[in-house]
Amino acid sequence: MNRRQLVKTLSLSGMTFSFFKTGWASNLKSTSKPIVLSTWYNQREANIDAWSILSKNGKALDAVEKGVMNAENDITNCCVGLGGNPDRTGIVTLDACIMNEKFEIGAVGALERIKHPISVARAVMEKSPHVMLVGAGAQEFALAQGFTLEDGKLSDHATKAFEEWKKRNEFDHKNVEKKKVEFITKPDREQEKSKSMKVDEFNHDTIGMLALDSFGNLSGACTTSGMGFKMRGRLGDSPIIGAGLYVDNEVGAATATGHGEEVIRICGSHLVVEFMRQGLSPELACKKAVERILKSTPRKLEDLQIGFIALNKHGEFGSYALQKGFDFAVKSEELDNKKFDSKFLM
Ligand code: ASP
């Protein structure tokens, strides 16, 4: 009997789910609830802040917001919050989204000079009639909600990284500095696409966090300064519900880091959750999403890195990445912010 026939037989006998839960997923990692996990081990402190809420029977939503705020506060972080790398006009623009156990969602894109985009995303969810605000409108909304306008100065490391980036790129920086406008023409874009960009050139360090609280409810948050030195106006996957983050309280939750264009192309986090709904373990669900990227991307694979993490309703978790080097941290009663190195395809 091949795998498809086996699945069919098991579905007919109503056994699919329990089989996958126990047998198929030999790669299963699980722990008791509450549990929190987040992308990139070097940002593991964020889990501690989330745990301070979860361990006191707090809500997963509050935990993920507080958790990722830790990364947003870290001015030395290359890729989250106002200390992050700017776009190629030298301006830091922040993207974030949040989702709870009731399919409630909120997101902000290209938000400037606000320290905690994740909290603005939550305010969009709870206090606006919409689910996503971007650019100047998002900033106006944040100010109206009492958030403070920061000075917009680049952090020391971002200033340095930007100077370095300008040296290595052939674009007309004088022009861009003067006009502060988008300047990439189509030929430039094509040229850039075919240029070999090393995987770590953009320092993928977006934080995506998933939590299951002691009531058995799931929530997730994702926040980033996006791809370093991106074109002005570019949005990645991180503020897009279904791409950078998805939560279905009956099934599980997933979040992504890496080249956002490729995650958007396959509705990555939603896809991972749907694979878990079909009975796959979190790790296999992430692996299948990475395989989908392999099929769909027009880019050279060696130029890409994508990592997914996922958590199901039972506290089972897993991850998968396109390339070596992706890791994540898990905190629960049994796991003391433990590091997991993700498996990878290439
Ligand atoms: N996913 C983020 C984006 O595309 C970047 C990252 O995770 O490094 O904006």
PDB file of all heavy atoms in Angstrom, residues 40 79 95 202-206 224-227 234-238 256-261 263, ligand 1:
ATOM      1  N   TRP A  40      14.850  32.445  15.944  1.00  0.00           N
ATOM      2  CA  TRP A  40      16.231  32.865  16.194  1.00  0.00           C
ATOM      3  C   TRP A  40      16.597  32.837  17.684  1.00  0.00           C
ATOM      4  O   TRP A  40      16.121  33.655  18.460  1.00  0.00           O
ATOM      5  CB  TRP A  40      16.522  34.253  15.604  1.00  0.00           C
ATOM      6  CG  TRP A  40      16.243  34.334  14.136  1.00  0.00           C
ATOM      7  CD1 TRP A  40      15.229  35.030  13.550  1.00  0.00           C
ATOM      8  CD2 TRP A  40      16.973  33.692  13.078  1.00  0.00           C
ATOM      9  NE1 TRP A  40      15.282  34.862  12.184  1.00  0.00           N
ATOM     10  CE2 TRP A  40      16.346  34.042  11.863  1.00  0.00           C
ATOM     11  CE3 TRP A  40      18.095  32.864  13.037  1.00  0.00           C
ATOM     12  CZ2 TRP A  40      16.796  33.587  10.628  1.00  0.00           C
ATOM     13  CZ3 TRP A  40      18.537  32.409  11.810  1.00  0.00           C
ATOM     14  CH2 TRP A  40      17.901  32.778  10.630  1.00  0.00           C
ATOM     15  N   CYS A  79      17.481  43.844  13.136  1.00  0.00           N
ATOM     16  CA  CYS A  79      16.380  43.498  12.238  1.00  0.00           C
ATOM     17  C   CYS A  79      14.997  43.641  12.839  1.00  0.00           C
ATOM     18  O   CYS A  79      14.000  43.272  12.205  1.00  0.00           O
ATOM     19  CB  CYS A  79      16.584  42.069  11.753  1.00  0.00           C
ATOM     20  SG  CYS A  79      18.247  41.820  11.104  1.00  0.00           S
ATOM     21  N   ASP A  95       7.404  46.725  10.335  1.00  0.00           N
ATOM     22  CA  ASP A  95       6.223  45.915   9.982  1.00  0.00           C
ATOM     23  C   ASP A  95       5.915  44.975  11.142  1.00  0.00           C
ATOM     24  O   ASP A  95       6.841  44.387  11.720  1.00  0.00           O
ATOM     25  CB  ASP A  95       6.517  45.030   8.767  1.00  0.00           C
ATOM     26  CG  ASP A  95       6.956  45.797   7.529  1.00  0.00           C
ATOM     27  OD1 ASP A  95       6.578  46.976   7.396  1.00  0.00           O
ATOM     28  OD2 ASP A  95       7.665  45.207   6.698  1.00  0.00           O
ATOM     29  N   PHE A 202      21.341  40.071   4.473  1.00  0.00           N
ATOM     30  CA  PHE A 202      20.250  40.875   4.992  1.00  0.00           C
ATOM     31  C   PHE A 202      19.966  40.599   6.468  1.00  0.00           C
ATOM     32  O   PHE A 202      18.992  41.083   7.004  1.00  0.00           O
ATOM     33  CB  PHE A 202      18.987  40.647   4.162  1.00  0.00           C
ATOM     34  CG  PHE A 202      19.158  41.157   2.772  1.00  0.00           C
ATOM     35  CD1 PHE A 202      19.113  40.301   1.699  1.00  0.00           C
ATOM     36  CD2 PHE A 202      19.397  42.496   2.548  1.00  0.00           C
ATOM     37  CE1 PHE A 202      19.292  40.773   0.420  1.00  0.00           C
ATOM     38  CE2 PHE A 202      19.582  42.981   1.274  1.00  0.00           C
ATOM     39  CZ  PHE A 202      19.530  42.119   0.204  1.00  0.00           C
ATOM     40  N   ASN A 203      20.805  39.799   7.095  1.00  0.00           N
ATOM     41  CA  ASN A 203      20.643  39.537   8.528  1.00  0.00           C
ATOM     42  C   ASN A 203      19.208  39.220   8.906  1.00  0.00           C
ATOM     43  O   ASN A 203      18.555  39.980   9.592  1.00  0.00           O
ATOM     44  CB  ASN A 203      21.091  40.763   9.340  1.00  0.00           C
ATOM     45  CG  ASN A 203      22.546  41.046   9.139  1.00  0.00           C
ATOM     46  OD1 ASN A 203      23.350  40.132   9.069  1.00  0.00           O
ATOM     47  ND2 ASN A 203      22.875  42.306   9.025  1.00  0.00           N
ATOM     48  N   HIS A 204      18.738  38.083   8.451  1.00  0.00           N
ATOM     49  CA  HIS A 204      17.341  37.736   8.739  1.00  0.00           C
ATOM     50  C   HIS A 204      17.162  37.459  10.211  1.00  0.00           C
ATOM     51  O   HIS A 204      17.581  36.418  10.700  1.00  0.00           O
ATOM     52  CB  HIS A 204      16.944  36.504   7.939  1.00  0.00           C
ATOM     53  CG  HIS A 204      16.981  36.761   6.489  1.00  0.00           C
ATOM     54  ND1 HIS A 204      16.070  37.581   5.877  1.00  0.00           N
ATOM     55  CD2 HIS A 204      17.823  36.342   5.535  1.00  0.00           C
ATOM     56  CE1 HIS A 204      16.350  37.637   4.594  1.00  0.00           C
ATOM     57  NE2 HIS A 204      17.402  36.912   4.365  1.00  0.00           N
ATOM     58  N   ASP A 205      16.556  38.359  10.911  1.00  0.00           N
ATOM     59  CA  ASP A 205      16.381  38.163  12.346  1.00  0.00           C
ATOM     60  C   ASP A 205      15.009  38.596  12.817  1.00  0.00           C
ATOM     61  O   ASP A 205      14.830  38.899  13.988  1.00  0.00           O
ATOM     62  CB  ASP A 205      17.453  38.932  13.128  1.00  0.00           C
ATOM     63  CG  ASP A 205      18.675  38.062  13.368  1.00  0.00           C
ATOM     64  OD1 ASP A 205      18.628  36.882  13.009  1.00  0.00           O
ATOM     65  OD2 ASP A 205      19.661  38.572  13.923  1.00  0.00           O
ATOM     66  N   THR A 206      14.060  38.622  11.923  1.00  0.00           N
ATOM     67  CA  THR A 206      12.683  38.922  12.316  1.00  0.00           C
ATOM     68  C   THR A 206      12.292  38.049  13.480  1.00  0.00           C
ATOM     69  O   THR A 206      12.624  36.863  13.501  1.00  0.00           O
ATOM     70  CB  THR A 206      11.734  38.585  11.139  1.00  0.00           C
ATOM     71  OG1 THR A 206      12.021  39.484  10.083  1.00  0.00           O
ATOM     72  CG2 THR A 206      10.277  38.671  11.531  1.00  0.00           C
ATOM     73  N   THR A 224       9.296  43.206  12.729  1.00  0.00           N
ATOM     74  CA  THR A 224      10.566  43.295  11.988  1.00  0.00           C
ATOM     75  C   THR A 224      10.809  44.705  11.449  1.00  0.00           C
ATOM     76  O   THR A 224       9.863  45.479  11.293  1.00  0.00           O
ATOM     77  CB  THR A 224      10.513  42.326  10.773  1.00  0.00           C
ATOM     78  OG1 THR A 224      11.795  42.241  10.166  1.00  0.00           O
ATOM     79  CG2 THR A 224       9.519  42.772   9.725  1.00  0.00           C
ATOM     80  N   SER A 225      12.083  44.991  11.158  1.00  0.00           N
ATOM     81  CA  SER A 225      12.373  46.189  10.354  1.00  0.00           C
ATOM     82  C   SER A 225      12.480  45.771   8.883  1.00  0.00           C
ATOM     83  O   SER A 225      12.803  46.571   8.020  1.00  0.00           O
ATOM     84  CB  SER A 225      13.655  46.865  10.830  1.00  0.00           C
ATOM     85  OG  SER A 225      14.708  45.929  10.921  1.00  0.00           O
ATOM     86  N   GLY A 226      12.228  44.515   8.638  1.00  0.00           N
ATOM     87  CA  GLY A 226      12.171  44.023   7.251  1.00  0.00           C
ATOM     88  C   GLY A 226      13.548  43.796   6.664  1.00  0.00           C
ATOM     89  O   GLY A 226      14.580  43.940   7.319  1.00  0.00           O
ATOM     90  N   MET A 227      13.555  43.443   5.431  1.00  0.00           N
ATOM     91  CA  MET A 227      14.812  43.189   4.738  1.00  0.00           C
ATOM     92  C   MET A 227      15.654  44.469   4.742  1.00  0.00           C
ATOM     93  O   MET A 227      15.172  45.541   4.361  1.00  0.00           O
ATOM     94  CB  MET A 227      14.480  42.784   3.302  1.00  0.00           C
ATOM     95  CG  MET A 227      15.655  42.405   2.471  1.00  0.00           C
ATOM     96  SD  MET A 227      15.104  42.026   0.791  1.00  0.00           S
ATOM     97  CE  MET A 227      14.639  40.329   0.974  1.00  0.00           C
ATOM     98  N   ARG A 234       8.691  48.964   0.253  1.00  0.00           N
ATOM     99  CA  ARG A 234       8.590  47.501   0.195  1.00  0.00           C
ATOM    100  C   ARG A 234       7.996  46.940   1.498  1.00  0.00           C
ATOM    101  O   ARG A 234       8.391  47.299   2.591  1.00  0.00           O
ATOM    102  CB  ARG A 234       9.978  46.915  -0.017  1.00  0.00           C
ATOM    103  CG  ARG A 234      10.034  45.388  -0.078  1.00  0.00           C
ATOM    104  CD  ARG A 234      10.462  44.783   1.232  1.00  0.00           C
ATOM    105  NE  ARG A 234      10.685  43.334   1.147  1.00  0.00           N
ATOM    106  CZ  ARG A 234      10.831  42.555   2.204  1.00  0.00           C
ATOM    107  NH1 ARG A 234      10.778  43.054   3.413  1.00  0.00           N
ATOM    108  NH2 ARG A 234      11.032  41.259   2.056  1.00  0.00           N
ATOM    109  N   LEU A 235       7.019  46.054   1.363  1.00  0.00           N
ATOM    110  CA  LEU A 235       6.515  45.300   2.507  1.00  0.00           C
ATOM    111  C   LEU A 235       6.901  43.849   2.311  1.00  0.00           C
ATOM    112  O   LEU A 235       6.798  43.325   1.204  1.00  0.00           O
ATOM    113  CB  LEU A 235       4.993  45.365   2.593  1.00  0.00           C
ATOM    114  CG  LEU A 235       4.324  46.605   3.180  1.00  0.00           C
ATOM    115  CD1 LEU A 235       2.825  46.372   3.271  1.00  0.00           C
ATOM    116  CD2 LEU A 235       4.878  46.959   4.547  1.00  0.00           C
ATOM    117  N   GLY A 236       7.315  43.221   3.380  1.00  0.00           N
ATOM    118  CA  GLY A 236       7.604  41.788   3.321  1.00  0.00           C
ATOM    119  C   GLY A 236       6.421  40.994   3.842  1.00  0.00           C
ATOM    120  O   GLY A 236       5.288  41.472   3.887  1.00  0.00           O
ATOM    121  N   ASP A 237       6.712  39.784   4.250  1.00  0.00           N
ATOM    122  CA  ASP A 237       5.656  38.898   4.745  1.00  0.00           C
ATOM    123  C   ASP A 237       5.242  39.197   6.169  1.00  0.00           C
ATOM    124  O   ASP A 237       4.113  38.881   6.576  1.00  0.00           O
ATOM    125  CB  ASP A 237       6.151  37.440   4.693  1.00  0.00           C
ATOM    126  CG  ASP A 237       7.406  37.242   5.554  1.00  0.00           C
ATOM    127  OD1 ASP A 237       8.300  38.109   5.496  1.00  0.00           O
ATOM    128  OD2 ASP A 237       7.483  36.245   6.286  1.00  0.00           O
ATOM    129  N   SER A 238       6.145  39.800   6.943  1.00  0.00           N
ATOM    130  CA  SER A 238       5.942  39.858   8.398  1.00  0.00           C
ATOM    131  C   SER A 238       4.663  40.560   8.859  1.00  0.00           C
ATOM    132  O   SER A 238       4.092  40.164   9.868  1.00  0.00           O
ATOM    133  CB  SER A 238       7.164  40.490   9.065  1.00  0.00           C
ATOM    134  OG  SER A 238       8.318  39.797   8.665  1.00  0.00           O
ATOM    135  N   ALA A 256       6.968  32.935  10.211  1.00  0.00           N
ATOM    136  CA  ALA A 256       8.068  32.787   9.250  1.00  0.00           C
ATOM    137  C   ALA A 256       9.135  33.853   9.439  1.00  0.00           C
ATOM    138  O   ALA A 256       8.876  34.937   9.958  1.00  0.00           O
ATOM    139  CB  ALA A 256       7.510  32.904   7.832  1.00  0.00           C
ATOM    140  N   THR A 257      10.325  33.530   8.976  1.00  0.00           N
ATOM    141  CA  THR A 257      11.389  34.514   8.856  1.00  0.00           C
ATOM    142  C   THR A 257      12.157  34.227   7.568  1.00  0.00           C
ATOM    143  O   THR A 257      12.113  33.110   7.062  1.00  0.00           O
ATOM    144  CB  THR A 257      12.323  34.496  10.084  1.00  0.00           C
ATOM    145  OG1 THR A 257      13.356  35.461   9.917  1.00  0.00           O
ATOM    146  CG2 THR A 257      12.943  33.131  10.303  1.00  0.00           C
ATOM    147  N   GLY A 258      12.815  35.236   7.055  1.00  0.00           N
ATOM    148  CA  GLY A 258      13.563  35.047   5.810  1.00  0.00           C
ATOM    149  C   GLY A 258      13.013  35.910   4.698  1.00  0.00           C
ATOM    150  O   GLY A 258      12.299  36.885   4.956  1.00  0.00           O
ATOM    151  N   HIS A 259      13.338  35.564   3.469  1.00  0.00           N
ATOM    152  CA  HIS A 259      12.928  36.381   2.312  1.00  0.00           C
ATOM    153  C   HIS A 259      11.415  36.424   2.183  1.00  0.00           C
ATOM    154  O   HIS A 259      10.781  35.477   1.700  1.00  0.00           O
ATOM    155  CB  HIS A 259      13.541  35.820   1.036  1.00  0.00           C
ATOM    156  CG  HIS A 259      14.963  36.221   0.861  1.00  0.00           C
ATOM    157  ND1 HIS A 259      16.003  35.539   1.434  1.00  0.00           N
ATOM    158  CD2 HIS A 259      15.513  37.257   0.181  1.00  0.00           C
ATOM    159  CE1 HIS A 259      17.147  36.136   1.120  1.00  0.00           C
ATOM    160  NE2 HIS A 259      16.881  37.174   0.363  1.00  0.00           N
ATOM    161  N   GLY A 260      10.861  37.568   2.582  1.00  0.00           N
ATOM    162  CA  GLY A 260       9.413  37.692   2.674  1.00  0.00           C
ATOM    163  C   GLY A 260       8.686  37.498   1.356  1.00  0.00           C
ATOM    164  O   GLY A 260       7.567  36.994   1.327  1.00  0.00           O
ATOM    165  N   GLU A 261       9.326  37.896   0.259  1.00  0.00           N
ATOM    166  CA  GLU A 261       8.665  37.776  -1.045  1.00  0.00           C
ATOM    167  C   GLU A 261       8.260  36.324  -1.297  1.00  0.00           C
ATOM    168  O   GLU A 261       7.180  36.038  -1.810  1.00  0.00           O
ATOM    169  CB  GLU A 261       9.610  38.250  -2.164  1.00  0.00           C
ATOM    170  CG  GLU A 261       9.772  39.763  -2.288  1.00  0.00           C
ATOM    171  CD  GLU A 261      10.621  40.401  -1.187  1.00  0.00           C
ATOM    172  OE1 GLU A 261      11.211  39.671  -0.359  1.00  0.00           O
ATOM    173  OE2 GLU A 261      10.679  41.652  -1.142  1.00  0.00           O
ATOM    174  N   VAL A 263       7.803  33.967   0.985  1.00  0.00           N
ATOM    175  CA  VAL A 263       6.794  33.509   1.963  1.00  0.00           C
ATOM    176  C   VAL A 263       5.410  34.006   1.542  1.00  0.00           C
ATOM    177  O   VAL A 263       4.421  33.268   1.605  1.00  0.00           O
ATOM    178  CB  VAL A 263       7.153  34.010   3.383  1.00  0.00           C
ATOM    179  CG1 VAL A 263       6.101  33.566   4.385  1.00  0.00           C
ATOM    180  CG2 VAL A 263       8.521  33.491   3.804  1.00  0.00           C
TER     181      VAL A 263
HETATM  182  N1  ASP B   1      10.699  38.241   6.635  1.00  0.00           N
HETATM  183  C1  ASP B   1      11.254  39.548   6.746  1.00  0.00           C
HETATM  184  C2  ASP B   1      10.916  40.347   5.536  1.00  0.00           C
HETATM  185  O1  ASP B   1      10.905  39.817   4.449  1.00  0.00           O
HETATM  186  C3  ASP B   1      12.734  39.594   6.902  1.00  0.00           C
HETATM  187  C4  ASP B   1      13.387  38.569   7.718  1.00  0.00           C
HETATM  188  O2  ASP B   1      12.799  37.721   8.335  1.00  0.00           O
HETATM  189  O3  ASP B   1      14.605  38.649   7.734  1.00  0.00           O
HETATM  190  O4  ASP B   1      10.757  41.532   5.662  1.00  0.00           O
END
